[in-house]
Amino acid sequence: MRLAGARLLSDRDHPVVRAVLAADPVASCMVSARVEVAGLDPWRLGGELWAADYRGARGGRLPGLCFSGPNLIPLRGNAAALRSFADRALRKQRVCSSLVGPAEQVLGLWDELAGEWGPAREVRDDQPLMAMDAQPAVGPDPLVRPVRPDELERYLPAAIAMFIEEVGVDPRAGDGGVSYRARVAELISSGRAFARFENGEVVFKAEIGAMSRSVGQIQGVWVRPDRRGHGLGTSGTAAVVSRLVNGLGRTASLYVNSFNSPALAAYRRIGFSQVGRYATVLF
């Protein structure tokens, strides 16, 4: 008889969850950003937080923690914890679009889930997680600025092109792009979408996809194909880093595929250093 398993956490578990997230603020940024705003109530959080050892949570320990929502994000846990997360995830139909987070936990959890959820569309097993909290070593592009709400229609084609290129699927599939358009509009309205416009068109873009009280995670870095190789990606990303570090008082972070040598080199020139390793399983 199984006596322990993954359990749903609630707002009364907030102190121990907060301590776990604070222990690795860069790796946990995506989850921390949600928890800081919404607490642990699933309806407000837009997902569930699971603990691998519920009794441990009550005693101030949390050896395993996983977020289940639009993405499945295991942040902490040994093999037994990951099995308990897999058991809970398999109780209902998969709704997440990806499995993402620290590589050890993601790949271990995928081993448990692959038999039921596989095959994956793609497994990216080595994604350096990078961070910096200083002024960029590269001069920021002065023409990169926050996108205005009235510029959504001009920004959206670049965001769609980036998504297709990076993820391999069209974000407009399924609902005609209604959900993706709403997400992009939300990023713009919150001042977290940045671009360089030339003749009314986006030639560089990036976003702060998740932002906790201490870390901002940069995503969606894209340069229009005909403008690549001229340093726009490096100086543009430096502008977003400067905004995060100097303007918002956050550590800037991002993760990138290990095979993307040009991007890795550019981020290192800016001043990023590797602080961990992520992995992503795409469905």
Side-chain angles (χ1 to χ4, degrees):
M1 183 173 64
R2 176 166 295 171
L3 298 177
R7 305 292 182 89
L8 177 64
L9 296 174
S10 66
D11 276 334
R12 57 186 172 176
D13 302 300
H14 205 165
V16 67
V17 170
R18 187 166 54 242
V20 171
L21 298 177
D24 194 348
V26 174
S28 66
C29 177
M30 287 186 285
V31 176
S32 294
R34 286 176 171 267
V35 170
E36 289 171 5
V37 172
L40 303 188
D41 176 77
W43 187 83
R44 297 194 308 269
L45 188 62
E48 298 179 344
L49 266 179
W50 303 339
D53 185 345
Y54 193 66
R55 293 164 300 178
R58 290 289 183 243
R61 298 183 304 104
L62 208 56
L65 182 66
C66 183
F67 172 77
S68 175
N71 303 297
L72 190 61
I73 308 174
L75 289 176
R76 174 184 288 193
N78 59 17
L82 298 177
R83 280 194 296 274
S84 73
F85 295 151
D87 286 346
R88 187 171 184 108
L90 292 171
R91 292 177 193 170
K92 54 187 177 181
Q93 185 176 5
R94 178 183 64 81
V95 295
C96 60
S97 61
S98 70
L99 175 57
V100 61
E104 179 182 356
Q105 280 69 39
V106 165
L107 298 176
L109 183 53
W110 179 236
D111 284 344
E112 300 289 338
L113 294 170
E116 296 290 332
W117 284 6
R121 185 164 56 83
E122 186 178 355
V123 177
R124 301 176 179 180
D125 60 2
D126 186 8
Q127 298 177 304
L129 178 64
M130 311 182 82
M132 61 181 293
D133 59 6
Q135 176 69 18
V138 173
D141 185 345
L143 298 182
V144 170
R145 58 169 176 80
V147 180
R148 300 190 306 267
D150 66 298
E151 294 174 316
L152 172 61
E153 298 302 331
R154 287 193 285 163
Y155 183 81
L156 193 58
I160 292 170
M162 176 281 304
F163 194 98
I164 293 172
E165 187 174 328
E166 174 63 23
V167 181
V169 297
D170 192 325
R172 296 166 294 185
D175 65 358
V178 173
S179 298
Y180 186 68
R181 178 190 177 91
R183 171 59 176 162
V184 173
E186 177 190 8
L187 289 168
I188 291 174
S189 66
S190 62
R192 291 169 24 216
F194 299 82
R196 172 173 171 150
F197 290 89
E198 292 182 0
N199 299 318
E201 294 187 0
V202 175
V203 296
F204 165 86
K205 68 163 287 293
E207 296 142 5
I208 304 171
M211 189 163 65
S212 70
R213 293 191 183 103
S214 60
V215 179
Q217 188 177 86
I218 298 171
Q219 67 174 31
V221 177
W222 180 87
V223 177
R224 200 173 69 187
D226 65 323
R227 297 302 307 278
R228 292 174 186 175
H230 301 287
L232 285 180
T234 303
S235 61
T237 303
V240 182
V241 169
S242 181
R243 172 68 173 166
L244 271 169
V245 173
N246 299 322
L248 298 172
R250 263 76 166 184
T251 294
S253 76
L254 51 79
Y255 60 99
V256 59
N257 294 314
S258 61
F259 57 77
N260 192 344
S261 298
L264 274 169
Y267 297 146
R268 288 179 178 131
R269 283 198 299 273
I270 293 168
F272 282 97
S273 59
Q274 186 170 350
V275 297
R277 184 167 72 100
Y278 258 29
T280 302
V281 179
L282 296 170
F283 301 117

